[in-house]
Amino acid sequence: MRWITSLRHNECVYIEDIENIKYSNIEEYGFLVAHGIKSLLRVPLMTENAELLGFIGVDNPVPNVPVSSIDFGLKAISYFLVSVLTKDKLEKQLEDMSFKDMLTGLQNRNKFINDIDTVQNIQNRHVGIAYVDMNGLKAVNDSLGHEKGNEALQAIASRLLSLFRRNNLYRIGGDEFVVLCPEIPKDVFEKKVKELKEKSSGEDGGKYCVAVGHLWFEQVIDLKKHVRETDRLMYENKKAFYAAGAPRKMPGETSSEI
């Protein structure tokens, strides 16, 4: 903790001789002795925004080498390391943004297309696919505004997350979601889809309903074709929903669907 405080203030930690802290920092002294450290120098890895990424250092520096020289060398190395780490972090953030749906926090269409190829290239694996579409989003947007429509989509995303892992979920369009579960047993997948169809959220009282099409495949042959088949079943479910005379329900009205 003493080191972290100094490092966060962009200060180096230098202990010329651990005997000097033998009584003032007993635990630290014991740790250093156990690791054969008699003296040390630590330099912070600090970003331009004063974020501490870590530190680098030297244990038992050569006595006849000036500490200022070692300090200068470590700071030069730390500058290089911070540049590399910051660049890698930025690239990771950009990648996450390109694969993430900002409204729901689920993976987006770009990630779905990317993962389709990954799953397709692994032979002899089974997969469960569910295509989910919100019923009546346009009516919600037109009558109550897009903010309420966004709340509805977020509520549906939350329901999906309560049943499936985030890395199996994608929002691929305005009101369209896909569940892609490689290597999931058929009975487990069927049970989760059944819960999805039946489950109502206590937070919104089940105001929003969805159409669901799902299939489980023993072996992936043509994953894109399998997704299209599931999409077709979803639209059949949606047509049946409205053919039965179901109104495009607004929030506040009751629904027997999810």
Side-chain angles (χ1 to χ4, degrees):
M1 183 59 68
R2 182 172 69 89
W3 293 8
I4 293 298
T5 300
S6 297
L7 294 169
R8 282 178 175 166
H9 286 86
N10 203 20
E11 299 172 353
C12 297
V13 175
Y14 175 54
I15 302 178
E16 183 178 9
D17 185 348
I18 65 169
E19 294 302 319
N20 295 332
I21 64 168
K22 184 174 183 179
Y23 300 106
S24 59
N25 293 281
I26 299 175
E27 291 185 7
E28 183 178 323
Y29 175 81
F31 174 84
L32 296 176
V33 169
H35 288 79
I37 300 173
K38 298 179 180 180
S39 60
L40 61 81
L41 177 64
R42 298 290 184 264
V43 173
L45 298 176
M46 186 74 71
T47 68
E48 293 181 357
N49 298 324
E51 177 187 1
L52 180 65
L53 301 179
F55 62 84
I56 58 174
V58 174
D59 295 337
N60 303 324
V62 179
N64 59 353
V65 177
V67 173
S68 58
S69 298
I70 301 173
D71 180 61
F72 178 80
L74 288 177
K75 286 182 177 178
I77 295 172
S78 71
Y79 178 81
F80 171 76
L81 289 176
V82 168
S83 298
V84 173
L85 292 171
T86 302
K87 180 175 179 291
D88 288 346
K89 184 178 180 180
L90 178 59
E91 290 178 349
K92 181 63 168 59
Q93 290 175 337
L94 291 174
E95 180 180 332
D96 289 344
M97 289 176 64
S98 69
F99 284 159
K100 183 178 181 180
D101 175 53
M102 293 299 118
L103 176 64
T104 63
L106 302 184
Q107 300 171 114
N108 63 14
R109 188 179 188 85
N110 292 335
K111 188 66 165 65
F112 178 65
I113 293 172
N114 182 79
D115 289 353
I116 280 282
D117 293 333
T118 301
V119 175
Q120 178 67 60
N121 291 333
I122 301 177
Q123 298 180 350
N124 300 320
R125 74 185 316 180
H126 45 266
V127 63
I129 307 171
Y131 216 106
V132 180
D133 186 288
M134 177 181 170
N135 291 324
L137 177 61
K138 184 177 186 302
V140 173
N141 287 335
D142 291 345
S143 62
L144 300 175
H146 287 274
E147 183 176 346
K148 284 295 182 182
N150 288 342
E151 289 179 6
L153 294 171
Q154 290 168 339
I156 291 171
S158 294
R159 293 177 191 178
L160 290 169
L161 283 168
S162 71
L163 295 167
F164 300 95
R165 295 184 300 177
R166 188 179 297 272
N167 61 357
N168 294 137
L169 297 173
Y170 310 82
R171 181 188 175 209
I172 63 168
D175 56 358
E176 295 181 329
F177 302 83
V178 172
V179 182
L180 181 64
C181 296
E183 302 298 344
I184 189 171
K186 184 177 181 179
D187 58 337
V188 174
F189 180 70
E190 295 284 354
K191 181 180 179 181
K192 287 181 178 293
V193 172
K194 182 180 179 182
E195 288 183 49
L196 173 62
K197 292 179 177 180
E198 296 176 346
K199 186 176 181 180
S200 293
S201 169
E203 294 180 358
D204 61 16
K207 300 169 188 174
Y208 311 114
C209 61
V210 296
V212 180
H214 75 283
L215 289 168
W216 184 89
F217 299 89
E218 178 68 37
Q219 183 177 351
V220 175
I221 304 300
D222 184 340
L223 191 54
K224 292 180 181 178
K225 181 180 178 182
H226 297 338
V227 172
R228 289 195 297 270
E229 292 172 356
T230 310
D231 183 23
R232 177 182 57 79
L233 291 177
M234 181 276 292
Y235 274 106
E236 289 181 3
N237 181 245
K238 181 180 284 286
K239 285 191 292 185
F241 177 76
Y242 290 118
R248 296 181 178 274
K249 296 182 182 297
M250 298 294 100
E253 297 178 319
T254 59
S255 172
S256 60
E257 301 291 329
I258 165 179

